[in-house]
Amino acid sequence: MIQLTEISRTFEALWPAAGAELWDAPGFVTSHSDAVTGVLLSVDITGAVLAEARAKGCNLVVAHHPFLLKGTQEVNHDSLKGSVLTYALKHSIAIFAAHTNADIVEDGVSDVIAKKLGLTNIEPLVTTADSEGHGRIGRLVQSMPLQKFAAHVAETLPFSARGVSVAGSPEQLVETVALCGGAGDSFIDAALASEADVYITSDLRHHPTLDATLTPRVKPLALIDVSHWAAESLWLESAANAITNAHHGVTVHVSEVVTDPWVFSINRGER
Ligand SMILES: [Zn+2]
């Protein structure tokens, strides 16, 4: 059986910690000295995800989002963070995160979204190193109207309550696509400066979105807002395959727990 230290070397090879942003907190938040019984991959760490890990016989959970990213004053057993950590320590479950260091690499979070959308000539939207960087930009094999492309995005992603929201004219043609997994409004300027016809990311706010659509440009930039969980969950399967390829004997599962907090949406005229 494989030890945690051994599998952590694979994680470092796949997602070097040095690639993480300075504000980020990738790596282990809990660990143990037991052999790894199985790995569960998830976007977030929640009590339900840890219970799933235990039910599936996994004592290592690899999440995209760090569990303790912001300053934590206490981990009391009855608090949000404390209850999860108490459970993890009680049941000897190691928790590991690969966050911005997993965003930038080939077959990382943004790269997988670009590939699943069928883009070609995929390159980082903002290059940080050889074939690495923030977001991705690529081309569709055949251009299509924005409305049809948005439907393609919705079909590519897992179901989410709010679907995809689109800023742009339904008829405008889409050929070059920029995207960023997670909350990528900090790369709107990079998308505006690129050849992209559309920029896909999550958690877009009113003002940056409005300003982007109104920015003078050869052709207006359309924006598509997608579920943060749905977009990033595409990476889990690819990460699971990479771990399985490195350690054939280890059981690797992708979490079935949907951690998208949005459960339903409703509009005027609907019941
Ligand atoms: Zn994220």
Side-chain angles (χ1 to χ4, degrees), residues 105-204:
V105 296
E106 194 174 353
D107 290 326
V109 178
S110 289
D111 202 43
V112 166
I113 299 169
K115 285 171 177 163
K116 292 265 184 190
L117 286 171
L119 304 186
T120 60
N121 303 98
I122 298 167
E123 288 176 19
L125 178 59
V126 177
T127 304
T128 55
D130 197 23
S131 76
E132 286 188 7
H134 303 288
R136 290 295 183 268
I137 185 165
R139 293 171 77 85
L140 291 169
V141 175
Q142 193 157 18
S143 63
M144 62 181 84
L146 180 59
Q147 180 152 9
K148 190 175 173 194
F149 178 69
H152 170 59
V153 173
E155 288 299 325
T156 303
L157 297 175
F159 176 85
S160 61
R162 298 201 292 187
V164 308
S165 304
V166 187
S169 159
E171 299 86 31
Q172 75 184 83
L173 276 185
V174 173
E175 186 172 11
T176 304
V177 177
L179 62 90
C180 185
D185 66 1
S186 58
F187 300 114
I188 287 179
D189 285 345
L192 281 166
S194 75
E195 301 271 288
D197 301 305
V198 63
Y199 180 52
I200 308 167
T201 191
S202 301
D203 305 337
L204 280 171

Side-chain angles (χ1 to χ4, degrees), residues 64-65 99 182 228 232:
H64 181 47
H65 293 141
H99 192 211
H228 192 136
E232 295 191 328

